[in-house]
Amino acid sequence: QVQLVESGGGLVQPGGSLRLSCAASGRTFSPLAMGWFRQAPGKEREFVAAIIWITGTTFYGDSVKGRFTISRDNANDTLYLQMNSLVPDDMAVYSCAATRRPENLRTERAYDYWGQGTQVTVSS
């Protein structure tokens, strides 16, 4: 069984930066890809970014492109999300997810494993 644990959320002022981490554990953690999603109160879960685990190929949602960077540390089974130029609309619970299936990585249904999420608050 794969377990995903996010960390790094918190309160940041508009224009600031945060780096989220997602530590994966499990006897045979070998995902095809991992991703980040976010959900703000009263809104649907939104795709943020995804990365192919072996190749490092990345995908981004339109609202974060150019501001956020997804990366991974294969040796330590850790996923990252560097978030820069944060705005109040970025405020949400951010969750990481992993999949072994070659499906559309921009959709929730592509992922089999999810973390509990970490809160990101953007406010002055």
Side-chain angles (χ1 to χ4, degrees), residues 1-8 19-26 29 31 34-36 53 71-81 94-98 113-118:
Q1 185 72 355
V2 174
Q3 292 183 327
L4 305 176
V5 179
E6 302 94 339
S7 61
R19 189 174 84 153
L20 305 183
S21 300
C22 172
S25 62
F29 183 70
M34 292 191 71
W36 288 99
W53 199 247
S71 62
R72 87 280 189 232
D73 179 345
N74 301 63
N76 293 300
D77 291 339
T78 303
L79 179 72
Y80 300 101
L81 184 68
Y94 285 70
S95 299
C96 63
Y113 306 100
W114 290 84
Q116 292 298 310
T118 185

Side-chain angles (χ1 to χ4, degrees), residues 16-74:
S17 298
L18 278 177
R19 189 174 84 153
L20 305 183
S21 300
C22 172
S25 62
R27 294 183 64 183
T28 56
F29 183 70
S30 56
L32 171 69
M34 292 191 71
W36 288 99
F37 287 76
R38 67 185 183 185
Q39 188 167 23
K43 294 186 178 181
E44 293 186 353
R45 188 175 284 178
E46 176 189 13
F47 170 74
V48 175
I51 188 166
I52 304 296
W53 199 247
I54 293 178
T55 66
T57 304
T58 57
F59 309 87
Y60 293 95
D62 289 341
S63 61
V64 306
K65 199 174 296 183
R67 300 188 298 123
F68 290 12
T69 302
I70 188 171
S71 62
R72 87 280 189 232
D73 179 345
N74 301 63

